[in-house]
Structure formats: structure tokens, C-alpha cells
Amino acid sequence: MEEKLLNYIRNVPDWPKPGIQFKDITTLCKVHTPFKESCDRIINNYRDKGITKVAAIEARGYVWGGVLAYQLSAGFVLIRKPGKLPYKVLSETYELEYGTDSIEMHIDAIEKGDKVLIFDDLLATGGTARAACNLIENAGGVVIGIAFVIELTGSLRGRDKLEGYDVISLIEIPVEE
Ligand code: AMP
């Protein structure tokens, strides 16, 4: 099952810069069967967990996020790069290999006690997902789970940053150093 999904991922070497092996999920979501399977596997995992909000990270996270929210009878929350959201925001800054990055969410996107499923297409270092957890929790939400289509395993140790959280990924791809 896992191998089948992996076959739909396109590896693009040296994009967006030399040395990066970019995992392109557009080749998976453009085909109905693997796209449906990837959505269904996450939905089935969280169906009985009382999720009230799905929060997804721009932009590829939105492709799955809306489907997950609809099927889990939850609301959908947009987590965006700085300066994109029109109303007042909560912001969270996190470390990159060189420098920092930030993500934002509307201050009223999450209500106290909301049970939140966070979704992003890919787990690498875990910095983005961890920042998303902080955003949700600072707003009074409870992170029930964090789901990814792809997890890069090995030296990046993304799961370490998400210790204590329920993390699922559908495809594991080892990273060679
Ligand atoms: P990180 O915060 O390091 O876990 O990075 C995760 C975010 O960066 C996700 O939103 C991914 O879409 C993107 N990303 C990081 N590395 C890759 C990669 N090798 N291929 C595709 N997307 C990536």
C-alpha cells in the first residue's frame, strides 16, 4: 500500500536550490486513486477523535486540508506565511538551517478547547509543524494529531521536535546525507 503511494511522488533534484531533493506531491494529487487513498487513510485515523478544526499549512497543505475538514465534520483553519492574512494575527517564529521563518494564523481562528488536527504535505526538520502546534496552543486549542503525506526520515529527526504529539505519515522516505 505504502509503496503504491510512493510511486506517485516525483523527486526533483536541486530544486529550489542545489542539494535539495524536492518531493513533488502534485504527481500524487493529480490522480484520483492515490489522492483519495491518502485522504481516506488520514480521515480513518482521526474519525473518532472528535476533531473540531483542521489547521493546514500553506500552500500544499490546503490541497488535503479542506478534504480532511469536510470529511471529519470539522472547520478549516489557514496557517499562512507572514503578511498574507487580512485580519489580526498570531505569529510564531522558528529556526531554519540559516536564519528564521514565521507562520501566522488569524487570532480568532481557534476557539478555546478546539480539538485540532494539523496537516502539512511533508515533515522534514519538524520546525514548521512545531511552530504550528505553538500557534494552536497559544490560541487555546488542543493538538490532537499532526498528519503528513511524506516523512523524510534519517538525519533530519523531524519527529524529535514533535515528541509527545500523535504524529502520522503515509510515506517514509529516507534522506541520504
Ligand atoms: P520542516 O519545517 O523542515 O519540517 O519543513 C517542512 C515544510 O517545508 C513543508 O511545508 C514542506 O512542504 C517543505 N519542505 C521541506 N523539505 C522539502 C522537500 N525536500 N521536498 C518538498 N517539500 C519540502
Side-chain angles (χ1 to χ4, degrees), residues 3-165:
E3 264 174 27
K4 243 173 66 188
L5 285 185
L6 177 60
N7 291 340
Y8 288 94
I9 304 296
R10 172 164 53 200
N11 189 73
V12 184
D14 299 320
W15 198 89
K17 53 184 181 189
I20 305 280
Q21 301 288 326
F22 192 84
K23 308 301 174 195
D24 181 12
I25 48 85
T26 67
T27 38
L28 188 156
C29 65
K30 74 172 184 178
V31 186
H32 173 69
T33 314
F35 181 51
K36 182 175 186 312
E37 182 190 324
S38 62
C39 292
D40 287 347
R41 281 172 60 185
I42 298 169
I43 291 157
N44 289 338
N45 197 74
Y46 290 103
R47 195 181 288 291
D48 303 319
K49 305 264 166 67
I51 302 293
T52 58
K53 297 267 169 64
V54 173
I57 300 160
E58 107 172 64
R60 293 179 295 273
Y62 297 169
V63 178
W64 279 262
V67 177
L68 303 180
Y70 179 71
Q71 290 292 337
L72 291 169
S73 304
F76 180 71
V77 167
L78 291 78
I79 296 179
R80 298 210 64 177
K81 296 281 158 62
K84 304 276 190 183
L85 288 166
Y87 188 58
K88 291 176 209 158
V89 295
L90 295 172
S91 181
E92 187 72 25
T93 298
Y94 55 100
E95 301 289 324
L96 296 174
E97 198 177 349
Y98 301 104
T100 60
D101 211 346
S102 300
I103 51 174
E104 295 181 346
M105 179 181 81
H106 275 148
I107 49 164
D108 55 359
I110 295 291
E111 275 146 59
K112 208 168 163 39
D114 258 335
K115 296 170 91 173
V116 182
L117 171 63
I118 294 173
F119 176 82
D120 201 0
D121 66 323
L122 182 142
L123 170 62
T125 67
T128 313
R130 182 63 211 224
C133 292
N134 295 347
L135 267 186
I136 302 293
E137 287 166 358
N138 289 341
V142 181
V143 177
I144 300 297
I146 314 169
F148 304 91
V149 175
I150 301 172
E151 175 176 358
L152 299 183
T153 58
S155 56
L156 294 173
R157 308 187 72 83
R159 269 193 192 243
D160 290 1
K161 275 214 186 73
L162 304 177
E163 212 187 327
Y165 291 100

